[in-house]
Amino acid sequence: MCSTACTLKNSGEPTGGRAPASARAGGGSAVLADGSATKVALVPGGAHPYFQPWKTAGAKAKKTYRLGDVRFDETAEWDQQKQNNLLSTLAARGYNAFGVFGVSPTDVNTTFADLKSQGLAVASLGSCPAGKKNEADFCLSTDVELAAYKAAKAAIDAMGGKGRLVHLTSNNVDANTQLRIKGVARAVEESGGKVRLLQTVTDIDKDLQTAQKAVSDLLTAKGNQIQGIVSTAYNPAVAAADAVRSSGSRAKVVAIDDDAKILSSISQGTVTATVVQNPVGQAEVGAWALALLQTEQCAMRDPGQSIDSGSFVVTKQNLTTYDRARKAKTAQLKKRFADDVLACG
C-alpha cells in the first residue's frame, strides 16, 4: 500500500511498456505498467443516448493506456437477465474488466458478485446499486440526488423563488429516480412554502415519443398553472424543450444533459439551464482504474466505494465553457483515485 498518497500518472500520455522502478519496487505509483492484457467491456443497461460518449471515451482510453481492448456493448432491451447473458459471453471471450450500468439496481449486486468470483475487475458505472452495499470494486456515478437538487434550485431561481413546479423524471421503480425525487423535494422544501411541487411525472423516459406525449398532455391540462419545469431524465428534457418552444409557454425549463436541442434552446432562451453529467469521465477514469485493479498493481482501499463523477449547471453564461469544468473534474477524479481510492504497490 502507499504509505502516503499514490502518485498519479497516465493522465493523458502513453507510458512505456514497463513501470518506473518506484512502482515495481512497491513505491505506490499509480502508473499502469502494462495494460496490454486488460480487456475492458463497457456495458450499459440498454440503448440510451446518455451512454454514447462511453464509446469515444473507451476508444481513447484504449489508446492512451495501451489496453488490450475496450469494447462498448449493449443489449437491445433493458432486461437484467439479457445483460447477464451478455456479460457472461464477454467474459468467455476473454474480457477481464467490466464497467457496467446495471439494469436492475436491486439485483445487479448478484451480477457483480458473480463476475468478481471469476477473478474479474468490476466497476458500477453511471449508476450505483440500490441500498448500502456495492459488490463491484467501486461505483463511479453522478450523485443523482445532488444533481436533481441543483436542477430544481436553478428552476426555482428562474421562477423568481415562487410558484408551481413540475418534475419530469424516469422509471418510478428505479432507485436513481427515487433519489432524484428526494433532491427536487429538498429544493422545494427550502423555499419555505413559496414553491409548490404541482406534480411529479414518472415513467416517461422510455423513448422520446413517450416523453413528448406526456409533456403535451401535461401542458394541455395544466399549462397555465405551471411556472417551472425541471426534468431529471433525458427524453423528458428534450420533450419539454420542444414543447415550451412550440406552445409559447412561459414556464421556466431546467433540463438534464447536453443534447444539441437543449443547448440550442438555452442559447435561444427557451430553456433556462441544464445540469450536465460526466459520462466521458466515468468511462475514461473507470477503464484506467479497472486496468490497475485487473493487473493487481492496485487494490481498493475501501472496496465498493462510491465516487461522484460530477454534475454541472449550464446556463447561457457558461454555455461555451462548461466542458472545461467537466474535463477538469475528470482530471480531479484521476487524482482522487490515485491519492485516496486506490492502494498501489
Side-chain angles (χ1 to χ4, degrees):
M1 288 183 62
C2 311
S3 57
T4 55
C6 297
T7 303
L8 175 66
K9 298 290 184 184
N10 292 133
S11 57
E13 75 286 349
T15 61
R18 292 178 64 81
S22 62
R24 294 200 308 273
S29 178
V31 180
L32 182 59
D34 182 2
S36 61
T38 302
K39 296 179 70 176
V40 179
L42 300 175
V43 184
H48 195 282
Y50 176 82
F51 301 112
Q52 293 309 300
W54 282 17
K55 289 183 180 180
T56 51
K60 180 181 176 183
K62 177 185 175 181
K63 182 177 180 180
T64 300
Y65 308 126
R66 297 182 179 179
L67 303 177
D69 194 19
V70 178
R71 177 189 179 101
F72 176 91
D73 209 335
E74 63 189 8
T75 56
E77 300 173 54
W78 286 72
D79 182 289
Q80 188 61 64
Q81 188 55 54
K82 289 182 178 179
Q83 186 183 47
N84 291 349
N85 294 341
L86 172 60
L87 294 168
S88 296
T89 299
L90 290 168
R93 291 178 182 172
Y95 286 87
N96 51 20
F98 289 84
V100 181
F101 183 105
V103 175
S104 170
T106 55
D107 299 330
V108 74
N109 265 331
T110 303
T111 302
F112 292 154
D114 179 60
L115 292 170
K116 291 286 294 174
S117 72
Q118 300 173 54
L120 308 174
V122 184
S124 186
L125 296 184
S127 177
C128 298
K132 295 182 179 180
K133 190 166 181 60
N134 173 26
E135 293 287 356
D137 289 299
F138 63 88
C139 177
L140 181 58
S141 174
T142 309
D143 181 334
V144 293
E145 183 175 341
L146 177 60
Y149 171 78
K150 290 178 181 178
K153 289 289 282 186
I156 289 168
D157 287 346
M159 292 161 57
K162 60 183 180 180
R164 290 175 290 271
L165 178 70
V166 169
H167 179 199
L168 311 176
T169 190
S170 190
N171 300 335
N172 192 47
V173 297
D174 188 336
N176 280 342
T177 298
Q178 293 303 313
L179 290 171
R180 290 178 174 120
I181 288 171
K182 282 179 64 179
V184 171
R186 177 158 65 99
V188 170
E189 185 178 349
E190 287 178 1
S191 75
K194 293 180 181 178
V195 175
R196 176 186 164 203
L197 186 60
L198 184 65
Q199 189 173 347
T200 299
V201 187
T202 62
D203 301 304
I204 59 171
D205 194 33
K206 179 183 177 183
D207 52 45
L208 186 56
Q209 291 72 30
T210 300
Q212 286 171 330
K213 183 179 187 308
V215 174
S216 176
D217 290 349
L218 174 71
L219 290 179
T220 298
K222 300 181 179 179
N224 61 353
Q225 302 175 47
I226 300 168
Q227 282 74 51
I229 298 173
V230 57
S231 178
T232 59
Y234 176 85
N235 286 305
V238 176
D242 285 343
V244 167
R245 184 191 302 110
S246 61
S247 70
S249 167
R250 299 175 66 86
K252 303 297 184 182
V253 177
V254 172
I256 191 170
D257 294 333
D258 45 358
D259 178 87
K261 284 186 179 180
I262 291 170
L263 297 182
S264 174
S265 297
I266 291 174
S267 180
Q268 295 167 13
T270 51
V271 169
T272 299
T274 190
V275 174
V276 302
Q277 302 177 78
N278 191 12
V280 169
Q282 292 165 5
E284 182 182 339
V285 177
W288 171 72
L290 281 167
L292 288 166
L293 294 171
Q294 193 279 327
T295 58
E296 297 185 349
Q297 184 179 318
C298 299
M300 290 293 298
R301 290 180 183 269
D302 181 13
Q305 182 177 351
S306 295
I307 300 99
D308 181 13
S309 52
S311 56
F312 314 85
V313 178
V314 178
T315 64
K316 190 178 288 188
Q317 284 66 43
N318 65 338
L319 191 59
T320 60
T321 60
Y322 75 89
D323 202 44
R324 296 178 198 168
R326 188 157 56 179
K327 288 176 179 176
K329 177 65 175 180
T330 297
Q332 290 168 8
L333 285 169
K334 287 184 183 178
K335 186 175 188 306
R336 181 177 173 190
F337 266 78
D339 288 350
D340 303 320
V341 177
L342 298 173
C344 307

